[in-house]
Amino acid sequence: ETLQRIVSTLVNKNDEIHNFIDMLNHTISNVQINSSNAISELDEEFDGLYSVLHEMKGSMANTIQQEEARKIQALQDQLSQCSRALESSEELLELAVQSLDIKNPVELLEVENTDWMCVRQVVTVASAFRLSLKPKVSDSMTHMMVDFALEKRMLQAVKFLPVPKAPEIDVAACLVADNCITISWRMPEEDSRIDHFVLEYRKTNFDGLPRLKGEQHWELVDYIKATQYTLSGLKFDTKYMNLRVQACNKAVAGEYSDPVTLETKAFVFSLDSTSSHLNLKVEDTYVEWDPTGGKGQEKIKGKENKNSNTASPKRSTNSPRASARGGRDRFAGESYTVLGDTAIESGQHYWEVRAQKDCKSYSVGVTYRNPGKFDQLGKTNSSWCIHINNWLQTTFSAKHNNKAKTLDIPVPDRIGVYCDFDGGQLSFYNASSKALLHTFRTKFTQPLLPGFMIWCGGLTVTTGLQVPSAVKTLQKSENGLGGSTSSLNNVA
């Protein structure tokens, strides 16, 4: 026995080492991939910087060219104005010189008669005397010079961004309740540059470090601003959940925190179609009345019953589901029943049932593992249920051992079933309001299976649910009250 324990421990250790080796090889591969990605991103950043600089250079060169054109245009306008004034002045000077050269009085008199023409000429060229002989603009372009000394120093100071440190998950502050997980974390040191957090989670059946093989992909919740987050509406169809968090600033994400593994214990089962009544169409968590299901199938049913004790070589007879099925015959007659495929042997469990609006009659409850194929829920001393009959008028009752107690309360849309095997208690609740409908109290002496009867319509079963906190609270207050199973007392 000691050697067997040592061998078993060594096998487990080897499995852990293999898993760790796989993780190391995966990490090496990721380092290479991430390094290549980082170089690509660096190239993109520098290409973006080059693009910005090239665009800025083009824009500034265009500004210089526009200033050049403006100055040349101003000087050319001034040059044209001066040329016109000079031309007028030269004409006047030529006329004046000619007048000064006249010696004959007669000719001079004729010139005097044209004095008015001289006056007009003087007026015409008067603007020439008002011309500014200073260029309107200078030839200097120093105001278009740049000094990138500061920018160069800034570029030379460019380094890799400071990566946020990995957050630390506060396991003591994490809470798993009501199919919700509240996870809380903190930063190892204050970092004002943190913009948001990223939470990743995935389901697993292993309680150790995350594995690479056979694991589901990480689900992601992005842009979390607080250091706490609640994942709600989860179905706990695995034993555990891995969670990890990373911090992000505006440009880069840090390393993930060390992953934590939280237990997500809940009762998970499917409907066992192999033993359901032939008039029922059964899927994993849905059963529907099928009035034509039994026709022409008696031979098939007989063949199934004949081979029902032969176990599949691929099915382990030690599994809860295999042991729950056993060699049971199909339900027959008016027992339109289907059972769950997983037995309850200990602990507290909870599941919910929703009926279609057109259901005429249905029952929800539990039974010992090997009911007779003609047995109906609540009509034997080994089954307990609540029954709803919508035919003609609605009746609502609790049934056990062929005794019924009328429940004078409205029938809820969803029914929650709470089973405390060790405490000997089976309670039914309004799944929405968590109001108690009825409680059976007894001592369970055999494993129990969830049971469902239906006539016309369909039932949807929801599993993978934890016992709701509201139900736990009601159970605490209810435990002081007594109830007899045989008298079907309703403990409220």
Side-chain angles (χ1 to χ4, degrees), residues 43-265:
D43 288 339
E44 289 180 6
E45 290 296 327
F46 271 92
D47 288 343
L49 184 59
Y50 299 150
S51 176
V52 170
L53 290 173
H54 183 71
E55 184 178 344
M56 289 180 61
K57 177 183 177 182
S59 176
M60 296 177 79
N62 186 52
T63 301
I64 293 174
Q65 291 170 352
Q66 290 177 355
E67 179 68 2
E68 175 190 9
R70 185 189 69 81
K71 285 193 170 187
I72 290 175
Q73 185 63 47
L75 292 172
Q76 285 180 341
D77 291 344
Q78 193 176 16
L79 180 60
S80 297
Q81 187 179 11
C82 291
S83 297
R84 288 193 299 270
L86 181 60
E87 182 179 353
S88 298
S89 297
E90 287 177 346
E91 290 177 358
L92 182 59
L93 285 174
E94 183 179 354
L95 181 59
V97 170
Q98 290 175 357
S99 299
L100 291 175
D101 289 342
I102 297 174
K103 302 299 183 179
N104 188 326
V106 177
E107 292 180 4
L108 184 60
L109 181 61
E110 290 177 357
V111 173
E112 288 177 355
N113 292 331
T114 58
D115 282 346
W116 63 273
M117 296 179 58
C118 296
V119 172
R120 189 177 64 176
Q121 291 293 339
V122 171
V123 173
T124 301
V125 301
S127 58
F129 296 105
R130 295 195 300 271
L131 283 177
S132 173
L133 301 182
K134 179 180 180 181
K136 288 184 176 180
V137 295
S138 72
D139 59 357
S140 173
M141 296 292 286
T142 55
H143 62 294
M144 305 301 287
M145 296 294 105
V146 295
D147 180 8
F148 285 145
L150 176 60
E151 288 74 9
K152 288 179 180 177
R153 287 195 295 272
M154 292 176 61
L155 287 174
Q156 289 168 351
V158 169
K159 298 178 181 178
F160 291 108
L161 283 170
V163 179
K165 294 185 179 298
E168 297 173 352
I169 297 178
D170 186 358
V171 179
C174 294
L175 178 65
V176 181
D178 299 318
N179 283 80
C180 299
I181 294 179
T182 298
I183 181 169
S184 181
W185 61 89
R186 56 178 174 266
M187 295 300 296
E189 58 186 47
E190 186 175 351
D191 188 347
S192 60
R193 290 167 294 194
I194 297 296
D195 178 69
H196 65 274
F197 297 93
V198 175
L199 168 65
E200 289 191 345
Y201 64 95
R202 67 179 176 185
K203 298 176 180 179
T204 177
N205 283 313
F206 303 101
D207 60 351
L209 293 173
R211 303 185 175 206
L212 296 177
K213 297 180 179 179
E215 288 287 5
Q216 298 185 25
H217 293 295
W218 291 98
E219 301 287 338
L220 183 143
V221 181
D222 205 351
Y223 294 104
I224 302 172
K225 294 295 185 178
T227 56
Q228 180 175 297
Y229 189 81
T230 298
L231 295 165
S232 58
L234 300 172
K235 182 176 180 180
F236 288 166
D237 49 6
T238 59
K239 296 179 181 178
Y240 304 96
M241 187 172 288
N242 298 140
L243 302 106
R244 63 185 186 181
V245 183
Q246 68 177 166
C248 306
N249 56 32
K250 289 290 186 179
V252 66
E255 294 289 335
Y256 281 102
S257 64
D258 290 334
V260 300
T261 301
L262 300 180
E263 186 176 12
T264 53
K265 188 176 182 180

Side-chain angles (χ1 to χ4, degrees), residues 436-457:
L436 180 64
L437 305 176
H438 186 80
T439 293
F440 292 107
R441 293 183 184 277
T442 186
K443 182 178 181 180
F444 298 120
T445 58
Q446 299 179 36
L448 295 169
L449 288 172
F452 310 89
M453 283 183 61
I454 185 169
W455 179 64
C456 293

Side-chain angles (χ1 to χ4, degrees), residues 322-492:
S323 61
R325 294 188 184 97
R328 194 169 54 238
D329 290 339
R330 280 189 179 274
F331 287 99
E334 294 184 356
S335 181
Y336 305 115
T337 305
V338 62
L339 303 179
D341 63 358
T342 304
I344 299 173
E345 301 184 24
S346 63
Q348 301 177 32
H349 309 280
Y350 179 85
W351 61 96
E352 293 181 355
V353 181
R354 181 192 291 272
Q356 291 181 346
K357 292 183 178 180
D358 60 348
C359 276
K360 300 301 183 184
S361 176
Y362 61 96
S363 299
V364 178
V366 297
T367 179
Y368 284 155
R369 192 155 50 185
N370 294 306
K373 65 178 182 178
F374 296 105
D375 288 347
Q376 297 182 25
L377 290 177
K379 290 191 175 183
T380 66
N381 63 358
S382 60
S383 62
W384 299 258
C385 74
I386 57 174
H387 176 73
I388 296 89
N389 187 355
N390 290 320
W391 184 252
L392 299 181
Q393 63 180 8
T394 300
T395 59
F396 192 19
S397 58
K399 292 185 176 183
H400 170 66
N401 201 21
N402 209 24
K403 296 179 181 179
K405 178 179 177 63
T406 300
L407 305 178
D408 190 18
I409 49 179
V411 179
D413 292 334
R414 287 185 298 123
I415 296 173
V417 184
Y418 167 75
C419 180
D420 181 359
F421 186 92
D422 302 315
Q425 184 171 322
L426 178 68
S427 297
F428 299 88
Y429 290 87
N430 181 324
S432 300
S433 67
K434 299 301 183 289
L436 180 64
L437 305 176
H438 186 80
T439 293
F440 292 107
R441 293 183 184 277
T442 186
K443 182 178 181 180
F444 298 120
T445 58
Q446 299 179 36
L448 295 169
L449 288 172
F452 310 89
M453 283 183 61
I454 185 169
W455 179 64
C456 293
L459 293 177
T460 300
V461 183
T462 304
T463 70
L465 301 176
Q466 292 184 303
V467 178
S469 300
V471 170
K472 290 181 179 180
T473 302
L474 284 170
Q475 291 302 318
K476 289 181 181 179
S477 61
E478 185 186 337
N479 284 338
L481 303 175
S484 166
T485 304
S486 60
S487 62
L488 293 174
N489 284 342
N490 182 20
V491 183

